[in-house]
Amino acid sequence: MHDAPEAFICDIPKPLKEMLPDYRKIEKAIEGPILEFFGLIGPMPSAVKAADMIMLATEQRQIMNNRDPWRWTLKPLEDATLECLEPQAAYELFIARANELGIF
């Protein structure tokens, strides 16, 4: 759910997002009600953001076949094999996991 605000205000690449402080304010203002709606407590733990940055590095290496020198990108997972899914399959897995966790 850490990217949920992007459903309402679009996803912006990290380098651009860093230059838009007002975007971050809007993102935070939207995140609170979303978390509340799903019964989650904010703010997101720093471990969530760290995991997101590790996965970004892993996606860069495996899917995008590059390794941009972004200062905030952490070391990729060495033993991960990412599986690219069709949107419907990803949706179904997401909903199934959310149901397992009692989010929906």
Side-chain angles (χ1 to χ4, degrees):
M1 299 302 291
H2 70 284
D3 284 334
E6 294 170 359
F8 301 95
I9 56 173
C10 299
D11 188 9
I12 295 177
K14 181 77 171 170
L16 179 58
K17 194 182 284 189
E18 290 293 312
M19 294 185 274
L20 300 170
D22 289 341
Y23 179 90
R24 302 299 266 166
K25 290 177 188 173
I26 295 167
E27 190 175 51
K28 286 293 176 198
I30 293 170
E31 182 181 66
I34 292 171
L35 294 176
E36 185 178 323
F37 178 83
F38 288 105
L40 302 172
I41 299 169
M44 290 283 175
S46 59
V48 172
K49 186 48 96 177
D52 192 39
M53 293 295 99
I54 291 168
M55 289 311 300
L56 172 61
T58 306
E59 291 166 353
Q60 281 181 315
R61 187 195 70 228
Q62 184 178 322
I63 297 171
M64 297 178 249
N65 201 24
N66 75 349
R67 192 71 176 100
D68 293 333
W70 295 351
R71 64 179 164 75
W72 48 81
T73 303
L74 302 176
K75 184 178 177 187
L77 297 173
E78 295 300 326
D79 58 348
T81 301
L82 303 178
E83 181 182 353
C84 296
L85 302 172
E86 294 293 326
Q88 185 64 35
Y91 170 79
E92 290 170 6
L93 287 172
F94 176 83
I95 296 299
R97 182 65 177 142
N99 284 329
E100 279 180 35
L101 296 171
I103 294 173
F104 296 128

